[in-house]
């Protein structure tokens, strides 16, 4: 049992293996957040609701209701009645007034976890997860809110989501619906978030939480390059091993907000949900609205433990693809090799050489359809360009298969080029505000996939191609933000639903794809990594991490990404040098070692690189074959992050049974007059002996853990080493 309700104390206690989460009821039936943190043996923490402190409770002193609401740690805050901190829910009635107030009505505790209608969400067996549903009611509005908590004990995760049901007779407008709220006393919290840009996604940022509100968000229709639906509040001492961490991550791929607010009473309110900008959901009597899921992790052992909880959780309870623990085919993608300039012969040349080097799949990227020889046409016209692909697509696939490679293909199904047959026939299929010329980004518009006929067309374009030939892999790209949010199919009081409806439509399309082609390896992508989020992981076991393939730039991008997401989901390729994004030249070996921390593949013209580099490919592919299992299933530890003071980067993956570890060390910059570097390893059995592979060096586990391992003789910039330790007793 992970969930208890104490009738007498009116307390809910949710326990994972190492954490407890306590919800209490006030006398009136407000739901208050009492405690989240280290596991408590007994029921405790109710006094944190501070019911006995001034300014009293509304029951005893109605005059001070607003004072009470302004500091009561609400489990789910609502706007309009006197809690001036961030509200999670704003409801407008038919008179146009905003106000909602919820009181406990009933609850249910059950094994397992129900699905969230139309949304990606975590799952588990009845043995793995238990779910609490608390129903609260606002009798005036005739509105029910169901707060759902699922407890995944083993991975130390609690998920939250919210469902609203209009049980009244009035139409209601939901101006804001967040998914999670956490009110706590401040402990000098600092906020950790992931920021970025195109080609620079998910860099870690940390700073103290100040009075007022600090947020990260996206309003561009996807989780974005710039900010990320993740936030952690950490105590100032928090590092990889120590300190407290409260983290939230959002299982959603559209507009979001994650915010921390420090109030006048030194309380912190942390919230996460769909961004309320340009959001309003019309809820007619009888209708319901399901908000997406937020994943909560508390760690008393620093960021490292938080990371490992997220990794285990996503691997076990979110990714569904049959590939999640499988070796992925080592692929070669022709994007950086040829861009739009390719034809059958070129692709087959690449395929033949790739086969000789042990590569297993050819992926044909953008430029194979319509008359697309640049990025300014043909999106929407998904018929193969036979001038380039002579003999048609099935014939190309057959030839690639004959060479001994699987075949993969690129699509951007959500888009429409103004210069396309599709746009000429259906200009109204693009998102647009009537009477206003829509904004082009990368010379393209966005299809209004919220319309069934448009969605069906876009889906069929992809499916038809997949049905026509044995295609093993699809890269589903999305290369622009959403603008001009207007749909011909929505009434004026529902246009503000469009951002969310778009995401639901996308999910529906990807669900259809995974149902019809269950063995397809799907990789999501969005101008690099602008839709790298847990929502997409539900459909694809890997996501293209960034368009920046430079091994050194990738260190920080992959570090930030791996803070939350398992290495098995990070699309990572070895590309050519000077690197196309930054012009840097790094050793081929380093590029291989860095890409090994992800799905591993190539993106270069293998027919043109030097013989010396080409010769390294079979060895690198062998490394992937040898280590993929460890990298996909092991525990990830961050050992060092490079900076001006520390010119090297280091991470490690340890087998869960401590039988082996793989350490990747990258010396970013060489330095004169330095000793060997001492790195302390993790995840080992202290009493066991470990042999460093390819040497006769033997270490006791406790030596590597406490004394550290010495990295010697690394000379030069951008140099890397792999160290594989194997338990030998
Ligand atoms: C995006 C992707 C790239 C490539 C191009 C093709 O930028 O991230 O990998 O597929 O689109 O246009």
């Amino acid at each position: 049992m992970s969930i208890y309700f104490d009738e007498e104390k009116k307390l809910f206690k949710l326990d994972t293996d190492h954490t407890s989460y306590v919800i209490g009821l006030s006398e009136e039936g407000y739901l208050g957040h009492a405690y989240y943190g280290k596991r408590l043996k007994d029921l405790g923490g109710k006094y944190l609701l501070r019911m006995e402190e001034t300014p009293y409770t509304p029951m005893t002193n109605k005059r001070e209701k607003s004072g009470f609401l302004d500091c009561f740690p609400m489990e789910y805050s609502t706007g309009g009645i006197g809690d001036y901190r961030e509200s999670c829910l704003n409801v407008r009635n038919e008179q146009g007034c905003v106000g909602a107030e919820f009181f406990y009505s009933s609850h249910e505790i059950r094994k397992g976890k129900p699905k969230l209608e139309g949304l990606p969400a975590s799952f588990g067996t009845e043995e793995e997860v238990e779910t609490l549903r608390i129903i609260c009611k606002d009798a005036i509005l005739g509105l029910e809110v169901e707060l759902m908590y699922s407890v995944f004990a083993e991975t130390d995760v609690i998920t939250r989501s919210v469902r609203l049901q209009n049980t009244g007779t009035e139409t209601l407008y939901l101006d804001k619906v967040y998914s999670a709220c956490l009110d706590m006393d401040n402990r000098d919290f600092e906020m950790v978030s992931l920021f970025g840009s195109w080609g620079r996604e998910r860099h870690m940022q940390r700073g103290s939480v100040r009075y007022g509100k600090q947020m990260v968000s996206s309003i561009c229709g996807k989780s974005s390059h710039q900010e990320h639906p993740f936030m952690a509040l950490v105590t100032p001492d928090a590092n990889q091993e120590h300190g407290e961490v409260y983290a939230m991550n959002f299982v959603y791929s559209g507009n979001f907000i994650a915010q921390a607010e420090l109030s006048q009473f030194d309380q912190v309110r942390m919230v996460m949900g769909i961004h309320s900008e340009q959001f309003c959901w019309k809820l007619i009597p009888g209708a319901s609205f399901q908000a997406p899921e937020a994943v909560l992790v508390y760690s008393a052992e620093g960021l490292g433990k938080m990371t490992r909880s997220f990794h285990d959780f996503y691997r076990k309870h979110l990714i569904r693809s049959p590939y999640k623990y499988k070796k992925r085919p080592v692929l070669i993608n022709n994007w950086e090799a040829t861009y739009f300039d390719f034809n059958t012969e070129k692709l087959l040349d690449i395929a033949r050489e790739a086969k000789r080097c042990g590569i297993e799949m050819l992926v044909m990227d953008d430029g194979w359809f319509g008359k697309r020889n640049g990025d300014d046409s043909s999106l929407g016209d998904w018929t193969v360009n036979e001038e380039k692909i002579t003999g048609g697509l099935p014939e190309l696939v057959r030839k690639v298969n004959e060479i001994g490679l699987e075949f993969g293909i690129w699509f951007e199904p959500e888009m429409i080029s103004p210069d396309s047959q599709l746009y000429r026939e259906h200009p109204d299929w693009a998102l647009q505000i009537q009477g206003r010329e829509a904004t082009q980004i990368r010379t393209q518009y966005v299809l209004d996939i919220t319309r069934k006929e448009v969605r069906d067309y876009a889906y069929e374009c992809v499916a038809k191609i997949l049905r026509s030939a044995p295609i093993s892999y699809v890269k589903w790209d999305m290369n622009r933000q959403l603008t001009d949010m207007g749909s011909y199919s929505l009434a004026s009081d529902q246009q503000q639903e469009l951002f969310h409806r778009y995401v639901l439509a996308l999910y529906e399309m990807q669900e259809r794809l995974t149902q019809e082609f269950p063995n397809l390896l799907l990789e999501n992508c969005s101008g690099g990594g602008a839709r790298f989020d847990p929502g997409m992981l539900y459909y694809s076991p890997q996501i293209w991490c960034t368009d920046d393939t430079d091994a050194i730039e990738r260190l920080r991008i992959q570090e930030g990404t791996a803070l939350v997401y398992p290495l098995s989901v990070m699309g990572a390729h070895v590309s050519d040098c000077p690197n196309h994004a930054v012009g840097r030249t790094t050793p081929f070996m380093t590029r291989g070692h860095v890409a090994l921390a992800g799905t591993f593949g190539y993106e270069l013209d293998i027919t043109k690189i030097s013989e010396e580099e080409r010769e390294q490919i079979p060895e690198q592919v062998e490394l992937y074959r040898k280590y993929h299992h460890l990298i996909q299933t092991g525990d990830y530890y961050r050992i060092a992050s490079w900076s001006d003071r520390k010119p090297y980067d280091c991470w490690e993956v340890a087998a869960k049974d401590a039988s082996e570890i793989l350490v990747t060390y990258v010396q970013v910059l060489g330095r004169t007059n330095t000793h060997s570097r001492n790195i302390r390893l993790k995840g080992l059995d202290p009493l066991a002996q470990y042999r460093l592979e390819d040497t006769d060096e033997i270490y006791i586990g406790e030596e590597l853990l406490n004394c550290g391992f010495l990295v010697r003789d690394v000379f030069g910039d951008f140099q890397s080493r792999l160290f594989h330790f194997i338990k030998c007793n």
Side-chain angles (χ1 to χ4, degrees):
M1 282 283 283
S2 341
I3 302 174
Y4 314 81
F5 178 61
D6 187 304
E7 188 71 55
E8 206 182 308
K9 293 188 177 147
K10 299 274 185 279
L11 275 183
F12 294 94
K13 183 163 178 271
L14 288 58
D15 285 333
T16 69
D17 284 359
H18 303 98
T19 73
S20 292
Y21 187 109
V22 183
I23 302 165
L25 292 178
S26 77
E27 279 172 55
E28 305 77 5
Y30 289 123
L31 224 54
H33 179 74
Y35 172 80
Y36 188 28
K38 261 191 194 172
R39 179 155 177 168
L40 303 175
K41 278 212 181 78
D42 281 318
L43 282 167
K46 186 157 184 185
Y47 54 85
L48 292 174
L49 298 181
R50 294 191 169 87
M51 296 297 299
E52 71 293 347
E53 288 182 29
T54 52
Y56 313 112
T57 72
M59 283 277 280
T60 53
N61 184 353
K62 280 222 187 306
R63 284 188 310 125
E64 293 303 334
K65 180 169 165 181
S66 155
F68 166 79
L69 291 174
D70 218 10
C71 66
F72 183 72
M74 276 287 178
E75 194 49 41
Y76 192 64
S77 58
T78 56
I81 51 157
D83 177 353
Y84 295 108
R85 294 163 293 169
E86 184 77 10
S87 60
C88 288
L89 179 67
N90 283 352
V91 187
R92 201 158 24 95
N93 65 12
E94 276 176 1
Q95 290 100 58
C97 305
V98 174
E101 184 171 29
F102 287 93
F103 298 102
Y104 168 84
S105 165
S106 63
H107 75 269
E108 178 203 270
I109 297 171
R110 57 177 271 192
K111 286 186 182 302
K113 179 172 187 281
K115 289 191 166 169
L116 302 191
E117 209 189 316
L119 286 167
S122 60
F123 51 81
T125 64
E126 296 206 337
E127 286 68 46
E128 291 166 337
V129 54
E130 215 170 276
T131 297
L132 164 68
R133 292 157 113 161
I134 306 179
I135 309 283
C136 298
K137 286 189 176 163
D138 181 321
I140 316 283
L141 291 173
L143 185 62
E144 266 185 26
V145 59
E146 177 189 301
L147 303 181
M148 186 161 101
Y149 300 80
S150 293
V151 180
F152 292 83
E154 200 192 309
T155 45
D156 285 315
V157 164
I158 294 175
T159 61
R160 286 187 63 170
S161 63
V162 172
R163 192 167 161 275
L164 289 144
Q165 173 89 40
N166 186 345
T167 56
T169 51
E170 257 192 79
T171 292
L172 302 173
Y173 293 89
L174 309 175
D175 286 332
K176 188 201 253 187
V177 186
Y178 291 169
S179 295
C181 178
L182 199 55
D183 275 4
M184 307 177 276
D185 288 331
N186 188 22
R187 259 169 286 140
D188 296 326
F189 282 128
E190 295 176 2
M191 187 175 122
V192 176
S193 61
L194 299 169
F195 75 96
S197 178
W198 172 82
R200 278 193 279 118
E201 296 89 336
R202 292 175 298 284
H203 283 56
M204 279 171 71
Q205 169 173 251
R206 181 167 172 168
S208 47
V209 173
R210 287 158 297 135
Y211 289 105
K213 297 175 178 178
Q214 288 127 82
M215 63 162 177
V216 291
S217 67
S218 162
I219 52 164
C220 68
K222 51 186 180 176
S223 39
S224 93
H225 293 106
Q226 288 75 18
E227 292 176 7
H228 197 73
F230 164 82
M231 178 184 278
L233 296 185
V234 305
T235 49
D237 60 333
N239 57 22
Q240 283 298 314
E241 286 167 72
H242 306 286
E244 290 187 86
V245 178
Y246 293 87
M248 283 190 195
N249 195 198
F250 201 29
V251 188
Y252 190 62
S253 313
N255 294 347
F256 74 89
I257 181 168
Q259 181 177 276
E261 175 181 8
L262 180 55
S263 78
Q264 55 188 330
F265 303 117
D266 282 309
Q267 286 169 305
V268 177
R269 171 168 289 173
M270 187 180 182
V271 294
M272 179 168 270
I274 296 179
H275 204 295
S276 60
E277 180 142 340
Q278 288 192 53
F279 172 86
C280 175
W281 199 269
K282 181 179 176 183
L283 205 64
I284 57 170
S288 63
F289 177 82
Q290 176 66 60
E293 178 169 75
V295 178
L296 276 61
V297 172
Y298 166 80
S299 157
E301 293 161 51
L303 288 161
K305 170 77 169 52
M306 172 207 77
T307 291
R308 288 183 289 282
S309 282
F310 276 120
H311 286 196
D312 285 344
F313 181 70
Y314 289 146
R315 289 187 292 215
K316 277 193 195 155
H317 301 298
L318 185 68
I319 303 168
R320 298 175 298 170
S321 163
Y323 278 97
K324 75 168 151 183
Y325 294 125
K326 262 212 241 165
K327 188 187 98 36
R328 315 285 159 83
V330 176
L331 62 81
I332 185 159
N333 177 304
N334 75 310
W335 178 241
E336 285 198 25
T338 65
Y339 296 101
F340 294 99
D341 184 16
F342 62 90
N343 57 21
T344 296
E345 271 326 298
K346 180 74 218 170
L347 293 176
L348 293 179
D349 284 349
I350 292 177
R352 279 186 214 100
E353 197 56 59
K355 176 65 189 171
R356 274 195 281 276
C357 294
I359 292 171
E360 297 153 322
M361 183 192 281
L362 174 77
V363 175
M364 178 170 69
D365 210 280
D366 194 357
W368 57 266
F369 52 93
K371 55 180 182 66
R372 192 158 165 97
N373 294 314
D375 63 7
D376 56 356
S377 86
S378 304
L379 293 167
D381 298 345
W382 297 103
T383 41
V384 72
N385 178 349
E386 297 218 16
E387 279 173 28
K388 283 178 166 178
I389 310 300
T390 38
L393 189 67
E395 185 56 12
L396 173 66
V397 179
R398 195 186 59 73
K399 285 183 176 152
V400 170
N401 288 167
E402 220 172 64
I403 291 170
L405 260 59
E406 292 181 72
F407 188 84
I409 193 167
W410 178 96
F411 284 99
E412 200 179 353
E414 301 156 62
M415 297 295 149
I416 178 166
S417 302
D419 180 9
S420 66
Q421 198 52 36
L422 186 66
Y423 188 72
R424 282 184 280 277
E425 281 166 26
H426 298 287
D428 61 309
W429 280 18
L431 288 173
Q432 60 201 275
I433 299 169
Q434 288 178 40
R436 180 182 292 280
E437 194 188 333
T439 304
Q440 291 185 20
I441 302 178
R442 211 190 189 209
T443 337
Q444 62 200 58
Y445 298 132
V446 182
L447 278 175
D448 181 3
I449 54 170
T450 68
R451 288 168 65 176
K452 188 167 178 336
E453 67 276 26
V454 180
R455 188 161 70 240
D456 285 349
Y457 170 85
Y459 176 78
E460 271 306 308
C461 288
V462 178
K464 226 186 267 164
I465 296 275
L466 297 187
R467 288 179 209 126
S468 74
I471 295 174
S472 317
Y473 161 106
V474 163
K475 178 172 168 190
W476 180 306
D477 210 339
M478 195 279 198
N479 278 324
R480 58 159 285 175
Q481 307 75 279
L482 305 191
T483 58
D484 308 280
M485 294 306 280
S487 170
Y488 278 91
S489 68
L490 292 174
S492 60
D493 64 350
Q494 287 190 288
Q495 291 288 350
Q496 300 282 294
E497 298 178 4
L498 192 50
F499 267 117
H500 182 56
R501 283 183 181 273
Y502 184 92
V503 180
L504 294 179
L506 165 72
Y507 290 153
E508 197 207 277
M509 288 170 77
Q510 295 219 344
E511 182 65 30
R512 243 198 270 179
L513 192 71
T514 54
Q515 296 294 333
E516 185 175 346
F517 305 98
N519 294 318
L520 180 74
L521 175 55
L522 181 62
E523 175 156 358
N524 270 293
C525 172
S526 179
R531 213 160 54 183
F532 198 118
D533 56 61
M536 299 319 288
L537 284 183
Y538 188 67
Y539 305 96
S540 66
Q542 58 193 61
I543 305 176
W544 184 229
C545 194
T546 172
D547 278 341
D548 187 347
T549 51
D550 172 63
I552 300 305
E553 288 279 296
R554 276 231 168 204
L555 295 175
R556 286 203 176 120
I557 299 172
Q558 293 187 182
E559 175 180 4
T561 307
L563 182 71
V564 187
Y565 304 101
L567 304 188
S568 61
V569 311
M570 289 200 286
H573 296 167
V574 175
S575 66
D576 202 6
C577 278
N579 180 269
H580 295 194
V582 291
R584 183 180 286 125
T585 297
T586 53
F588 202 76
M589 182 166 88
T590 304
R591 284 176 257 161
H593 289 168
V594 173
L596 259 188
T599 57
F600 195 74
Y602 291 86
E603 187 154 339
L604 38 71
D605 189 343
I606 196 169
T607 65
K608 285 194 183 145
I609 57 173
S610 70
E611 198 48 49
E612 193 196 331
E613 292 192 338
R614 205 170 19 243
E615 272 171 11
Q616 294 182 50
I617 295 180
E619 292 163 33
Q620 292 185 342
V621 172
E622 239 354 275
L623 286 179
Y624 177 70
R625 291 213 177 97
K626 182 168 167 195
Y627 294 129
H628 78 89
H629 183 71
L630 182 58
I631 292 165
Q632 281 182 335
T633 62
D635 284 336
Y636 167 87
Y637 293 90
R638 171 58 44 180
I639 309 288
S641 307
W642 78 277
S643 64
D644 289 347
R645 290 178 50 218
K646 189 171 275 183
Y648 61 94
D649 210 65
C650 184
W651 65 91
E652 177 202 304
V653 184
K656 293 237 173 244
D657 62 1
S659 58
E660 57 175 326
I661 67 166
L662 180 68
V663 180
T664 310
Y665 177 93
V666 181
Q667 174 163 295
V668 176
L669 292 177
R671 207 169 253 185
T672 54
N673 196 16
T674 52
H675 285 168
S676 50
R677 302 275 181 208
N678 185 328
I679 50 171
R680 284 191 184 182
L681 305 184
K682 313 276 178 214
L684 296 153
D685 174 352
L687 302 178
Q689 289 193 337
Y690 288 87
R691 188 171 58 77
L692 175 60
E693 201 179 26
D694 297 330
T695 72
D696 45 21
E697 291 175 35
I698 303 275
Y699 297 87
I700 319 279
E702 63 173 7
E703 283 182 311
L704 296 171
L705 289 165
N706 302 315
C707 313
F709 169 71
L710 296 181
V711 180
R712 302 185 192 94
D713 305 328
V714 186
F715 184 71
D717 294 344
F718 318 138
Q719 302 295 319
S720 68
R721 299 283 184 275
L722 286 185
F723 300 106
H724 185 212
F725 294 87
I726 308 157
K727 192 170 168 179
C728 44
N729 64 340

